[in-house]
Amino acid sequence: DSGVTQTPKHLITATGQRVTLRCSPRSGDLSVYWYQQSLDQGLQFLIQYYNGEERAKGNILERFSAQQFPDLHSELNLSSLELGDSALYFCASSPAGTGSVWQFFGPGTRLTVL
Amino acid sequence: TQLLEQSPQFLSIQEGENLTVYCNSSSVFSSLQWYRQEPGEGPVLLVTVVTGGEVKKLKRLTFQFGDARKDSSLHITAAQPGDTGLYLCAGASGSARQLTFGSGTQLTVLP
């Protein structure tokens, strides 16, 4: 158990819909990272937040957005869903002062778009 | 764009055999991480190497960082079925604020 929690574990929805994925980092960790993992693309970095502010952006689509709240939990919002958005979405957190080096991953949310 | 290539992509071996997985890049990384991921779970950090030429051992696993800090290898001695999983390398550069992950090596150890 990494200490990072994600909900829900599974999500099945239809094209065009909007979903919200939730992540709680390890106690004391200020950074939260979101990743998408699909069979053909591997593990792709989406976005990072540090203490409530966006710190770095990766290959995140405009239809996707994220935020980190004052209690440090984070949400990833996916809208206008397409079949190709079906993937595993992981959240990771890292201790303050370690940069991006030590990342601890949650169990993931499996999103299926029908 | 920094890319990490892992080889082999798939590896299926018998219990007791040794194996090596490679992670290569044309870019220099300040540190390199190895993760193992099991089906339906998130990647679990195994080790971080930061110095060129560094070798770290974790029981039957030996990790090496290349002298030029562009490549790394993972060697498993006497593999066991419990070693089965997806092995991912990930590199961090001095300026990047995120990790770049390799495509992974899917290891299957047959009893």
Side-chain angles (χ1 to χ4, degrees), chain B residues 31-104:
Chain B
S31 68
L32 199 133
Q33 285 68 242
W34 283 92
Y35 289 80
R36 185 173 76 202
Q37 184 179 14
E38 298 188 21
E41 299 182 10
V44 176
L45 180 63
L46 297 175
V47 78
T48 298
V49 286
V50 295
T51 306
E54 180 178 3
V55 176
K56 278 192 175 179
K57 291 192 175 184
L58 187 65
K59 297 184 181 177
R60 295 175 294 100
L61 278 59
T62 302
F63 305 85
Q64 184 162 9
F65 202 10
D67 291 341
R69 290 185 287 130
K70 293 182 179 181
D71 54 86
S72 181
S73 64
L74 158 60
H75 182 79
I76 301 179
T77 304
Q80 299 177 359
D83 295 328
T84 292
L86 178 68
Y87 287 82
L88 296 160
C89 64
S93 70
S95 59
R97 295 177 185 272
Q98 65 267 15
L99 293 177
T100 300
F101 278 83
S103 52

Side-chain angles (χ1 to χ4, degrees), chain A residues 4 6 23 25 30-35 45-50 55-56 68 74 89-95 98-106, chain B residues 97-99:
Chain A
V4 178
Q6 288 186 250
C23 166
L30 300 180
S31 279
V32 168
Y33 309 79
W34 285 98
Y35 291 87
F45 167 72
L46 296 177
I47 197 164
Q48 177 199 0
Y49 278 81
Y50 178 83
R55 179 63 76 90
Q68 187 179 28
S74 178
Y89 290 84
F90 288 104
C91 165
S93 72
S94 64
T98 63
S100 305
V101 174
W102 291 347
Q103 294 188 25
F104 298 88
F105 283 77
Chain B
R97 295 177 185 272
Q98 65 267 15
L99 293 177

Side-chain angles (χ1 to χ4, degrees), chain A residues 66-89:
Chain A
Q67 55 184 327
Q68 187 179 28
F69 295 88
D71 67 352
L72 300 178
H73 90 271
S74 178
E75 292 181 355
L76 179 67
N77 300 296
L78 314 177
S79 61
S80 303
L81 285 168
E82 302 174 359
L83 295 177
D85 297 327
S86 295
L88 275 165
Y89 290 84

